[in-house]
Amino acid sequence: MFFDENILALVQDVLAPAGLYPEGAERALKLACALQLQAPVLVLGIRNFADYLPSLYCEALKSTPFTPFARFCVTALATLSWADLVERLACAFPQSPILVYRAEDLRQREAELLTWVTGGQISALPQPGKSQRRGFSDAAVRALHRLAKDRTLGSDGVCAAENPVGFDDLAACLEAHPRGVDSAAYAPWSASERQTLDLIYQLDIARLQTLDRVTFWRP
């Protein structure tokens, strides 16, 4: 079972005050039951939260009403943990091996990962098509935040119901501020927050590597 954010939770439900993917194990069990899988190999990609959370937020913007990042990221940084999620998955699937890879290691190595996951049974990937998903530049997301602020009633950050930031506004901001070589991805963190998230990720990986039934991909 390969996990992405839409299997363990919809993008808008990944973060909760209680932590990351609060119902992830339960959703995985429901999927396994639907597919009649007894002890599937679980494959989970992890990523530095400094990059993952802004990316997750941008995915949510595509399909849900606009919410400022500060209201989207409701999980305290200190409680973010991939290891907690993996331990819950291990409890839900007591006989399943768990394969973990870092998203940072994956670029241009997709075929290698597939070979590792399948034990060499599959080693080639279909050739990708020419379609390209439009990415969110930092400038585009910040333009959306400014637009939302201009349309806000009061100081609680909630858009006025009669004049919300809509998907037309989203498309206009993406068009006006395209993601490109010279346009960075959305980055809401201060330098100290980024340093904290980097440390959390390092400690998380170290903890994951000590867990039973967890194997790390080392390309």
Side-chain angles (χ1 to χ4, degrees):
M1 292 173 60
F2 279 88
F3 293 138
D4 72 2
E5 63 268 14
N6 287 320
I7 292 178
L8 297 176
L10 299 178
V11 289
Q12 64 268 28
D13 299 324
V14 169
L15 299 176
L20 186 77
Y21 292 104
E23 299 180 357
E26 291 82 356
R27 286 174 61 94
L29 274 174
K30 288 180 181 179
L31 178 60
C33 289
L35 297 175
Q36 298 182 348
L37 302 175
Q38 299 300 318
V41 176
L42 307 183
V43 183
L44 177 69
I46 65 172
R47 186 178 179 187
N48 191 323
F49 290 115
D51 300 317
Y52 176 63
L53 298 188
S55 177
L56 185 73
Y57 173 63
C58 290
E59 286 296 316
L61 287 179
K62 297 176 183 178
S63 57
T64 60
F66 178 82
T67 300
F69 181 77
R71 294 173 67 91
F72 173 81
C73 188
V74 296
T75 309
L77 299 188
T79 63
L80 291 168
S81 174
W82 292 114
D84 284 351
L85 172 62
V86 170
E87 287 187 331
R88 284 185 275 122
L89 289 169
C91 289
F93 296 87
Q95 296 181 331
S96 289
I98 302 175
L99 307 183
V100 177
Y101 66 92
R102 299 190 333 141
E104 294 86 351
D105 295 330
L106 183 58
R107 188 177 299 276
Q108 306 300 322
R109 293 178 176 268
E110 291 84 354
E112 292 180 40
L113 175 64
L114 187 60
T115 299
W116 178 68
V117 167
T118 64
Q121 297 180 41
I122 303 176
S123 58
L125 292 169
Q127 291 300 312
K130 294 183 179 180
S131 62
Q132 185 175 5
R133 299 173 66 187
R134 176 176 289 186
F136 283 71
S137 68
D138 186 84
V141 180
R142 294 188 184 279
L144 284 170
H145 277 70
R146 289 193 298 271
L147 185 60
K149 186 176 180 180
D150 290 342
R151 297 181 181 179
T152 294
L153 293 179
S155 59
D156 59 357
V158 179
C159 293
E162 65 272 21
N163 193 24
V165 174
F167 293 114
D168 289 343
D169 299 311
L170 178 70
C173 286
L174 288 174
E175 186 69 27
H177 306 282
R179 175 77 187 277
V181 176
D182 298 323
S183 183
Y186 177 52
W189 313 114
S190 67
S192 61
E193 287 172 329
R194 177 81 200 208
Q195 186 176 26
T196 296
L197 290 166
D198 288 345
L199 178 60
I200 287 172
Y201 192 46
Q202 294 171 18
L203 295 174
D204 223 11
I205 290 174
R207 181 178 158 200
L208 279 167
Q209 291 174 330
T210 68
L211 299 180
D212 292 338
R213 291 187 285 120
V214 174
T215 303
F216 245 82
W217 182 47
R218 293 183 174 85

